[in-house]
Amino acid sequence: MNKILVKLFSLIIIVMLAWFWVIVNPQPAFAQVNTINYNNANLENRDFANSDLIGVNFVAAEMRGTNFQGANLTNAILTKGVLLKANLSGANLTGALVDRVTLDNANLKNAIFTEATLTRSRFYDADITGADFTDAIIDRYQVSLLCERADGINPVTGVATRDSLGCK
């Protein structure tokens, strides 16, 4: 009986400490504090070169001809974006969500797409020289098209584009 009371008392103390911690230090679990939101924005021909855009939202944004050269787009969300003829050379898109994005004729030279999600996106005539797609999720059909013109080694990661795509 004594052991049961000790365990019950210990459990009550642990629950009270956890409750106290939540009250003293409240923070949303996955909320992005101070996130810039460019959702549905017309950003055509804008210059974001070398900008720090970590976690920024570009959902359904019009970004034709936009310059993201050297920008840090780590964990950015570009879902349903239009990036025709955009310049993403040297940009870091590690962990970015690039789902259903049109990247036709885009400059992706030396871009980093490690662990990015690139499902249902198009890369027709995009320059992917030196781009790193390590552990990225890309549709098989797009991978086969990318492998036809994959070339170069990423100067930052040291990974060959062909190797990062798993080309044979």
Side-chain angles (χ1 to χ4, degrees):
M1 180 76 168
N2 232 0
K3 287 184 179 182
I4 294 174
L5 287 176
V6 170
K7 287 183 180 182
L8 182 61
F9 182 71
S10 298
L11 181 63
I12 291 171
I13 295 296
I14 291 170
V15 170
M16 288 178 63
L17 287 172
W19 178 80
F20 180 71
W21 180 253
V22 169
I23 297 299
V24 170
N25 189 19
Q27 291 183 359
F30 293 106
Q32 292 178 321
V33 181
N34 300 325
T35 299
I36 298 171
N37 183 340
Y38 289 113
N39 295 349
N40 299 303
N42 184 351
L43 304 172
E44 197 167 342
N45 298 313
R46 291 273 302 267
D47 187 8
F48 290 103
N50 301 307
S51 297
D52 184 4
L53 302 167
I54 296 171
V56 174
N57 294 320
F58 294 95
V59 176
E62 175 65 51
M63 298 174 278
R64 293 172 197 256
T66 299
N67 184 12
F68 288 106
Q69 182 177 3
N72 187 354
L73 291 155
T74 300
N75 297 324
I77 301 172
L78 293 100
T79 300
K80 297 182 183 178
V82 177
L83 286 152
L84 293 168
K85 297 182 180 178
N87 183 2
L88 289 119
S89 62
N92 184 354
L93 290 107
T94 299
L97 180 59
V98 190
D99 177 58
R100 294 174 280 172
V101 174
T102 304
L103 292 152
D104 298 350
N105 296 302
N107 180 357
L108 307 177
K109 188 173 184 176
N110 299 323
I112 300 170
F113 289 98
T114 56
E115 299 177 358
T117 301
L118 302 153
T119 51
R120 295 189 283 174
S121 292
R122 290 187 356 196
F123 303 89
Y124 300 134
D125 296 321
D127 182 357
I128 61 166
T129 305
D132 184 353
F133 295 95
T134 302
D135 296 326
I137 300 170
I138 310 170
D139 298 328
R140 285 184 191 171
Y141 177 70
Q142 286 299 322
V143 170
S144 66
L145 293 176
L146 291 170
C147 283
E148 290 175 6
R149 60 185 192 280
D151 191 30
I153 297 173
N154 188 283
V156 175
T157 65
V159 175
T161 302
R162 293 189 63 75
D163 292 342
S164 70
L165 288 166
C167 302
K168 296 179 182 178

